[in-house]
């Protein structure tokens, strides 16, 4: 055992040294693991930690030069790191840029020599050693205490993991949290993959964020009849969100079972997550709130105007003394007044950067059934960075974010179905009900 540890440690050192001269390898580990560990403190590593075969990368990489790495005859995996880096030099060469799929496949390939069930512990140690060394390079001033639990790699200083494999355990954990946060309101969000970020659709792709105003106006022009019942900018966003357009809204629910369903209903091979958020009851806004009104109108501003507002909001000048700010904020206020003549045109800088919980009018069946609410996201930071949304998450007594890792998805879905929490009950449109019935009797 001790000999294996020394061997993997030496291999990790050699791989890091090789990676320092090969940008593609360094970036692959950063994009697959490092970036999320640095920003969130945890990442799903199960595709490597629980893998037992080469998977389907050979067929997926048909148009890629990396396919040769997965050809059984040309590249025979070896625990000798010199042989493995030799393959990389011959097949990948000095390629500067890889696609997301190529990066994922490359990281997977590094661990091929350790995929046998008998070498799982060695694989785990090898991965930890590589990541610890890389993280020390990426973040020189931070101390990491990496751990692995149920396929999740996490920083013990930042996260407290709770694995959920049954409805019974989940309900017990929720009751405990409700008791702990009894003076506050809890809201829940289910995500079918642990690696998804807590951010609205519009911030998941940079080009969506840059074209937000165009997307917003184009759907209003093309589908005018679908918005005739909308009275406010929030109404517009809710309708757009309903039909899948990326918006500033992030769906949450007041019902923890609904969130659990969404964590289980897709991505069956991935680990899911239920994010649990908390706020003071008086901080929850309603549809007629002035703050909601101007945050919901932000999509009418161009990306350049939004970027300028972010700069002005952070320049340290009081609103009443900032001529540039008053001019741009006045344009936003005029947009709001076009829908709500009673709106008071006073927009605070801090409010423009904030995110708020919103309880909308439950005037459609889907929102009613899902007990839906939203987080309405302000300008925050570009692409959701530094936006403060993590501050909404429940924490343990040591200040670590609580991470509910959802596994055994099929079993949990069956348990939820017994309580009538399923596709037919949460999506009452006839096509969704028909799909549920079809699958039920398959």
């Amino acid at each position: 055992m001790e000999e294996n540890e020394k061997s993997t440690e030496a291999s990790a050192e050699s791989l890091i040294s090789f990676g320092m001269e090969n940008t593609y390898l360094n970036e692959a580990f950063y994009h697959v693991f490092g970036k999320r560990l640095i920003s969130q403190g945890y990442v799903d590593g199960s595709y490597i930690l629980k893998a037992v075969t080469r998977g389907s990368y050979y067929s997926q990489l048909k148009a890629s030069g990396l396919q040769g790495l997965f050809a059984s005859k040309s590249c025979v995996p070896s625990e000798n790191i010199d042989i493995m880096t030799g393959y990389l030099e011959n097949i990948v060469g000095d390629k500067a840029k890889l696609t997301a799929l190529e990066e994922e496949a490359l990281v997977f390939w590094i661990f091929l020599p350790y995929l046998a069930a008998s070498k799982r512990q060695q694989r785990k140690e090898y991965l930890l050693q590589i990541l610890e060394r890389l993280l020390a390079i990426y973040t020189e001033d931070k101390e990491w205490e990496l751990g692995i639990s149920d396929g999740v790699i996490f920083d013990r200083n930042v996260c407290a993991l709770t694995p959920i494999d049954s409805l019974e355990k989940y309900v017990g954990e929720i009751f405990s949290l409700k008791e702990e946060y009894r003076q506050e309101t809890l809201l829940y969000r289910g995500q079918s993959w642990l690696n998804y970020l807590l951010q609205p659709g519009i911030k998941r792709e940079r080009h969506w964020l840059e074209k937000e105003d165009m997307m917003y106006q184009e759907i209003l022009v093309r589908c005018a009849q679908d918005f005739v019942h909308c009275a406010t900018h929030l109404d517009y966003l809710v309708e757009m969100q309903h039909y899948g357009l990326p918006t500033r809204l992030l769906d949450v629910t007041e019902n923890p079972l609904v969130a659990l369903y969404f964590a289980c209903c897709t991505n069956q091979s991935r680990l899911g997550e239920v994010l649990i958020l908390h706020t003071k009851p008086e901080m929850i806004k309603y549809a007629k709130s002035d703050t909601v009104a101007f945050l919901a109108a932000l999509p009418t501003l161009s990306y350049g105007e939004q970027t300028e507002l972010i700069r002005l909001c952070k320049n340290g000048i009081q609103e009443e003394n900032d001529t540039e700010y008053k001019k741009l904020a006045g344009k936003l206020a005029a947009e709001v007044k076009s829908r709500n003549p009673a709106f008071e045109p006073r927009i605070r800088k801090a409010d423009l950067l904030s995110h708020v919980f919103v309880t909308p009018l439950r005037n459609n069946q889907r929102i009613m059934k899902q007990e839906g609410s939203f987080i309405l996201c302000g300008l925050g930071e570009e692409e959701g960075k530094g936006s403060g949304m993590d501050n909404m998450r429940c924490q343990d007594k040591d200040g670590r974010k609580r991470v509910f890792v959802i596994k055994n998805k099929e079993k949990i879905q069956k348990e939820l179905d017994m309580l009538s929490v399923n596709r037919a009950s949460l999506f009452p449109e006839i096509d969704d009900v028909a799909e549920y019935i079809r699958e039920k009797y398959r």
Side-chain angles (χ1 to χ4, degrees), residues 148-333:
I148 293 179
S149 176
D150 292 295
V152 181
I153 305 157
F154 67 105
D155 184 354
R156 290 190 177 94
N157 298 317
V158 175
C159 304
L161 263 60
T162 302
I164 300 293
D165 59 4
S166 71
L167 180 57
E168 181 182 8
K169 181 169 185 181
Y170 179 72
V171 171
E173 293 289 345
I174 294 299
F175 272 123
S176 296
L177 269 181
K178 279 186 171 290
E179 181 61 24
E180 187 177 336
Y181 286 87
R182 57 182 174 273
Q183 301 299 322
E184 300 192 48
T185 297
L186 296 184
L187 294 116
Y188 312 86
R189 177 173 171 81
Q191 300 189 153
S192 63
W193 189 25
L194 191 78
N195 281 5
Y196 288 148
L197 292 174
L198 181 64
Q199 62 183 29
I202 199 67
K203 293 190 176 184
R204 290 176 192 159
E205 298 283 351
R206 183 183 177 88
H207 55 275
W208 287 345
L209 190 59
E210 291 176 350
K211 304 297 182 184
E212 181 182 18
D213 60 323
M214 297 181 186
M215 295 166 66
Y216 181 90
Q217 298 296 346
E218 185 168 340
I219 197 168
L220 291 179
V221 170
R222 289 178 178 269
C223 305
Q225 287 301 311
D226 293 288
F227 295 93
V228 291
H229 64 284
C230 295
T232 66
H233 293 90
L234 178 64
D235 292 340
Y236 286 153
L237 290 185
V238 171
E239 193 74 7
M240 292 173 189
Q241 180 91 343
H242 178 79
Y243 287 108
L245 192 76
T247 74
R248 292 184 167 271
L249 295 177
L250 188 67
D251 295 277
V252 293
T253 176
E254 296 173 19
N255 187 331
L257 299 184
V258 171
L260 183 60
Y261 170 82
F262 280 109
C264 294
C265 64
T266 56
N267 279 333
Q268 295 298 315
S269 63
R270 303 279 195 181
L271 294 171
E273 179 179 12
V274 172
L275 297 102
I276 306 176
L277 314 167
H278 67 101
T279 188
K280 298 289 185 185
E282 62 271 17
M283 297 303 293
I284 296 177
K285 307 291 184 182
Y286 292 91
K288 292 186 177 181
S289 157
D290 283 351
T291 305
V292 169
F294 62 72
L295 289 181
L298 282 172
T300 64
L301 299 182
S302 70
Y303 180 70
E305 290 170 327
Q306 291 182 20
T307 303
E308 180 65 5
L309 262 182
I310 293 173
R311 184 188 71 80
L312 294 170
C313 286
K314 296 181 176 181
N315 64 10
I317 303 174
Q318 290 293 323
E319 288 95 339
E320 60 271 18
N321 300 325
D322 194 334
T323 305
E324 288 183 276
Y325 173 78
K326 287 195 289 186
K327 181 179 178 181
L328 198 46
K331 180 178 179 180
L332 183 62

Side-chain angles (χ1 to χ4, degrees), residues 16 25 34 46 74 87 93 101 117 142 151 172 181 211 217 219 226 293 317 328 366 416:
I16 298 302
L25 183 60
S46 59
S74 61
Y87 290 146
L101 174 62
K142 175 175 168 53
Y181 286 87
K211 304 297 182 184
Q217 298 296 346
I219 197 168
D226 293 288
I317 303 174
L328 198 46
R366 186 179 294 189
L416 287 170

Side-chain angles (χ1 to χ4, degrees), residues 28 32 40 46 48 57-58 61 78 95 100 159 197 218 224 228 235 271 305 336 343 346 364 376 392 405 411 428 438:
V32 174
Q40 300 298 314
S46 59
I48 285 175
Y57 287 114
Y58 182 80
L61 294 169
S78 170
K95 189 172 182 178
C159 304
L197 292 174
E218 185 168 340
V228 291
D235 292 340
L271 294 171
E305 290 170 327
V336 176
F343 175 71
R346 292 180 302 165
N364 75 58
L376 174 55
M392 299 174 172
V405 180
K411 173 178 178 280
R438 188 184 75 179

Side-chain angles (χ1 to χ4, degrees), residues 63 77 125 172 203 217 250 269 290 299 344 409 415 422 424 442:
E125 293 299 327
K203 293 190 176 184
Q217 298 296 346
L250 188 67
S269 63
D290 283 351
E344 288 292 331
K409 290 184 177 183
E415 293 172 339
N422 51 47
R442 181 185 287 274

